Every structure is written in structure tokens, then in C-alpha cells.
Amino acid sequence: MVAKEKYELEFLLKTSPKVLDGMISTPSGLSEWFADDVKIRDDIYSFYWDGSIEQAKLLYRSKASSKIKWQWLDDQEDNPDAFFEISFTIAPMTSAVILKITDFAEEDDFEDSKLLWDQAVQDLKRVLGA
């Protein structure tokens, strides 16, 4: 077992919080940019990519959906502190939307993991027209 380490990424988006909320908190929104398809059953999210499936348990969701946090079921035993979280805030001075990704990866996989998030956020920007 190799321990995973936490990292955070931030992206500036030109969109409204209401639109972004739907993109990060609903299966249909997540299916537009994060996975090929997303289904939910009893707080277990099933993410489908290229014929494979990964499942994650919902750990936390803020009422305004500005923060949503999951844990991959595969991590529950080997990396119980690992999670991935998508959140956003509004910059008070500029009213810009700042998307924050918090994730865990093994040291050897840091760069690949960050590249995957970069690509996913580029897809999100394309969908948003931002």
C-alpha cells in the first residue's frame, strides 16, 4: 500500500455560481464534463469512463452545493483519509468564480492526476462557454 498525498488546484471561471452549482452537483452536470455518465444510488456515485466504472461515496454536500466531497470506494480501506472535493467561491473584489479541486494521489501519479483535472476543467470551460 502506497499512501496518497493531498494536492489542490484552482481555476478562474467566467460563469455564474448558479450554473456552476448544477455542473458540479448533479449527475447530468457532471456527465457533461467530468465523466461519460454519472448515476447516484444511496449516496454512491457511479462514474463511467470509456466502458469502465468507478464508484465514490458522497461524504459532504453543502446546502448551496458550492462544495461537494466524495471518497472513492477503492480508497476506503487503503487510504481512508483520501477524498476528492470540488468547490467554488466568489472573489469579493472581482466577483469572479474560483473553482477549487482537492484530490489525493500517489507521488508517482501527481502529474498525471493534475493533467486529468486540467483536461476535465478545460472540458467544463468549453461546456460553460467560459
Side-chain angles (χ1 to χ4, degrees):
M1 173 184 84
V2 178
K4 292 185 175 184
E5 295 181 35
K6 182 178 172 180
Y7 67 91
E8 296 177 344
L9 304 169
E10 287 190 355
F11 303 90
L12 189 61
L13 300 179
K14 296 178 182 173
T15 189
S16 76
K18 186 175 182 178
V19 170
L20 185 57
D21 171 58
M23 298 303 287
I24 70 169
S25 66
T26 66
S28 60
L30 288 163
S31 295
E32 288 195 52
W33 67 279
F34 183 66
D36 297 334
D37 194 17
V38 179
K39 296 186 184 336
I40 305 172
R41 183 174 184 166
D42 298 329
D43 287 338
I44 301 296
Y45 283 62
S46 297
F47 297 95
Y48 297 85
W49 288 281
D50 297 325
S52 68
I53 179 175
E54 294 288 334
Q55 293 184 308
K57 181 179 182 175
L58 178 67
L59 298 178
Y60 176 80
R61 181 176 174 179
S62 66
K63 286 187 179 186
S65 298
S66 60
K67 181 185 286 189
I68 188 163
K69 181 178 182 179
W70 300 268
Q71 181 181 46
W72 295 115
L73 295 184
D74 291 346
D75 280 341
Q76 286 184 328
E77 230 174 89
D78 294 338
N79 292 286
D81 295 331
F83 62 87
F84 70 104
E85 179 179 271
I86 303 171
S87 62
F88 67 88
T89 57
I90 311 303
M93 298 290 282
T94 63
S95 297
V97 178
I98 302 165
L99 180 71
K100 182 177 176 182
I101 306 292
T102 304
D103 200 358
F104 285 73
E106 294 174 8
E107 189 176 346
D108 292 347
D109 294 332
F110 262 15
E111 290 309 310
D112 287 342
S113 186
K114 289 177 183 179
L115 286 172
L116 286 171
W117 278 114
D118 283 340
Q119 182 59 54
V121 172
Q122 291 307 314
D123 291 344
L124 174 61
K125 287 180 177 181
R126 181 184 43 76
V127 169
L128 293 172

